Structure formats: structure tokens, C-alpha cells
Amino acid sequence: MAASCTPRARRDAPMARFVLPVSRIGVALAQPTIAEDVLLAEHRPDDPSLVLALVERLARTDAAVNWQDLPITDIDTLIARLRQAVVGDHVVAEAACTAPACGERLDLSFRLGEWLADQRPRVGTLRGRGRQVECDGDAPGWYKLRADDSDVIGFRLPTLADQIAIEGSTDPVSALATRCIRPAQPRGRRAWVESAMARLAPPLATPLRGQCPHCGAEITALFQARHYCMRELYDRARFVFDDIDVLAERYHWSERAIMTLPLTRRTQYVERARQALTA
């Protein structure tokens, strides 16, 4: 009886290297394996705990990092870079013309790398007389927003841990503000803090603009990077069980061995296995 070979459980070279925009941490992104696709296929793509699990599995750094404590902008950048490495740099976002007499569906396309380069933290004075931001020397990770000589608002950047904690909240915006702003502020003054946060850590959710090819009207569509990228990764991962079945039938590998295959080798093996089945 012929013996079957078992693939070695190791990852290939990193798919990408980059620096996170807020924390400035250098990251090497490991190739996902079938195990990561199974993880994606079995969870909601909008679950922040799923995002944490993916980042913990795939992100590599020189020093230990508590990923859930990083600013949301850094986490969203990681997910966007993962999508860029796995799917590609070109993004095609669907939109609809809002002109009353039109309503046609259309695509807005752009390069993800170029878009990320435009979302970097900004420095400079906040809009509004007498307002400035400085680090709180007594509380690491916290900032002080000075509205005038006597009015100081403390805040910190929202993290993935905050998103996980408020998951399912009936009022997530207020719940997040309670965790990240002190003392509590009315809505108007809270906008000052949100403006400061956006400069320090720009949210990866921006409007895309284009022109309707049918009627010429201007089109605006909100692009939410994490939502879009996680949905694409999820849609791609839904077929992972078909790949496992094909590999097991063709090569007689165990599920445990198949789960360790890095993306590039998994793709090559699956393609060859399918070609053999249709030959």
C-alpha cells in the first residue's frame, strides 16, 4: 500500500510588511492558512472578537503587543492590509445614483494602498480658538483637550477592546464615549473631542466621490474599510470546506494537516487537485 505524504506545518514568508499609522509599530503579516478561513467562515464578519483573533494569529512584531489595546485605526489598517495581500490592491465599491430620475447602479474603483496613504494622522492646531491637545503625563495613553485655561477634557483613543466591550449595546456611541472621555460631556462638547481623536487617529471610513456615467450626477458613497474588507474575506472563506474536501480526497491528508497549509501552497494544491478531478 502506498504511503501518503503529509504537508509540513509551517508558514511561508510574510505576505506584507508595514508600519501602523498611529502606534508606529512595524508589522509583518503572515500568510493565512486554511485554519484562518475556517475561522472566518464560522463567525460573523462584523464581530470585533473575530477581528482580534485574526490579528493575533497573523500579525508579527519584534516585541509583544496586546492587540486589543491598539487604536481602532491601527486594527482597521491591519485588516485592510490583509485584504490587500490576499485579494489585491484594486477595490470596486458598489453604489447607486441618488438622482431622483436615475437610481442606476454603478461601481466606484480605487487603489487601497493609495487610499490608506491618504488616511494618515494629521498634526496641527485644532479648529476653534483656544483649543489644543497635549499628552497627559500622569495617565499613559490619555490626552488633555484644553478648551481654555480652566477647562480640560481628558480622553483616550478608542481601542478594539472598547469595541468588544460595547458589542450589542443599544447606544454604542454613548457607551464608547463613557469609556474614552472624562468627565462626561454634552453632545456639542463631545464633538470637540471627536475632532481631536480624528486628527490623532483618522477613522478608516470616508466618503468616495465619483460621477454617474448615466446621468452625470455627482455620487457619494461611504467606504468603511474594515466592514468592506472583512465581508470580502468572509465571502472568499465560505468555500474553504470545499477546498478541504478536495485536498483530503486527492492527497489523503488529515484535516489537521490541511489546516496548516499557507495560502500560496493551498491555492496551488487545490488547483492541481481540481484539474485532476476534471481530467
Side-chain angles (χ1 to χ4, degrees), residues 3-16:
S4 61
C5 297
T6 300
R8 295 184 63 185
R10 72 174 184 86
R11 295 186 190 267
D12 290 342
M15 301 187 76

Side-chain angles (χ1 to χ4, degrees), residues 36 38-39 47 60-61 70 76 82 85 90 92 121 132 144 155 192 195 205 233 238-239 245 249 251 258:
E36 279 74 56
V38 169
L39 183 70
D47 184 353
R60 304 285 184 268
T61 59
L70 289 191
D76 290 357
L82 175 61
H90 189 216
V92 179
Q132 60 181 353
K144 293 179 179 179
F155 72 92
W192 298 353
S195 177
L233 292 169
R238 287 186 301 161
F239 302 99
D245 183 68
E249 181 177 356
Y251 300 108
I258 292 171

Side-chain angles (χ1 to χ4, degrees), residues 34 41-42 57 73 75 92 109 119 149 155 157 183-184 193 206 217 229 235 247 263 270 277:
I34 287 183
E42 294 181 337
R57 286 169 177 251
T73 298
I75 298 299
V92 179
S109 62
Q119 312 307 313
D149 290 341
F155 72 92
L157 298 176
V193 181
T206 61
C229 294
D235 288 342
L247 292 173
L263 175 64
V270 169
L277 289 173

Side-chain angles (χ1 to χ4, degrees), residues 195-235:
S195 177
M197 288 178 174
R199 295 186 72 90
L200 294 168
L204 297 192
T206 61
L208 302 176
R209 293 182 173 84
Q211 189 175 42
C212 177
H214 304 283
C215 70
E218 182 178 339
I219 303 298
T220 301
L222 179 64
F223 177 67
Q224 297 174 294
R226 189 204 297 182
H227 175 81
Y228 181 92
C229 294
M230 286 295 293
R231 171 56 63 175
E232 275 199 329
L233 292 169
Y234 168 79
D235 288 342

Side-chain angles (χ1 to χ4, degrees), residues 22-256:
V22 181
S23 64
R24 306 305 299 169
I25 294 173
V27 175
L29 198 60
Q31 287 199 38
T33 66
I34 287 183
E36 279 74 56
D37 273 358
V38 169
L39 183 70
L40 277 159
E42 294 181 337
H43 293 81
R44 298 188 344 264
D46 60 347
D47 184 353
S49 295
L50 170 61
V51 172
L52 177 60
L54 285 175
V55 170
E56 289 179 335
R57 286 169 177 251
L58 300 176
R60 304 285 184 268
T61 59
D62 292 335
V65 175
N66 193 347
W67 296 106
Q68 66 178 355
D69 291 337
L70 289 191
I72 292 170
T73 298
D74 279 352
I75 298 299
D76 290 357
T77 298
L78 270 164
I79 296 301
R81 292 297 187 187
L82 175 61
R83 185 270 183 199
Q84 185 182 38
V86 172
V87 181
D89 189 46
H90 189 216
V91 173
V92 179
E94 294 183 351
C97 180
T98 55
C102 186
E104 292 286 340
R105 303 293 300 179
L106 54 100
D107 294 332
L108 298 174
S109 62
F110 59 97
R111 296 289 178 183
L112 188 56
E114 295 175 358
W115 182 83
L116 286 171
D118 290 337
Q119 312 307 313
R120 295 179 179 178
R122 295 171 293 165
V123 295
T125 305
L126 291 171
R127 291 183 180 179
R129 181 179 299 177
R131 279 182 275 167
Q132 60 181 353
V133 174
E134 60 189 46
C135 292
D136 188 339
D138 298 325
W142 284 80
Y143 297 86
K144 293 179 179 179
L145 172 61
R146 296 187 180 275
D148 54 44
D149 290 341
S150 60
D151 193 359
V152 178
I153 305 172
F155 72 92
R156 62 171 175 80
L157 298 176
T159 66
L160 185 57
D162 293 319
Q163 286 191 327
I164 293 173
I166 66 173
E167 176 76 358
S169 171
T170 57
D171 187 356
V173 174
S174 295
L176 194 62
T178 298
R179 296 175 65 89
C180 300
I181 302 174
R182 61 187 188 194
Q185 302 292 321
R187 186 178 300 273
R189 289 165 60 86
R190 199 164 70 193
W192 298 353
V193 181
E194 291 169 352
S195 177
M197 288 178 174
R199 295 186 72 90
L200 294 168
L204 297 192
T206 61
L208 302 176
R209 293 182 173 84
Q211 189 175 42
C212 177
H214 304 283
C215 70
E218 182 178 339
I219 303 298
T220 301
L222 179 64
F223 177 67
Q224 297 174 294
R226 189 204 297 182
H227 175 81
Y228 181 92
C229 294
M230 286 295 293
R231 171 56 63 175
E232 275 199 329
L233 292 169
Y234 168 79
D235 288 342
R236 175 185 166 278
R238 287 186 301 161
F239 302 99
V240 65
F241 300 108
D242 293 335
D243 287 357
I244 293 174
D245 183 68
V246 167
L247 292 173
E249 181 177 356
R250 171 66 177 170
Y251 300 108
H252 308 292
W253 294 334
S254 68
E255 182 186 64
R256 183 175 182 181

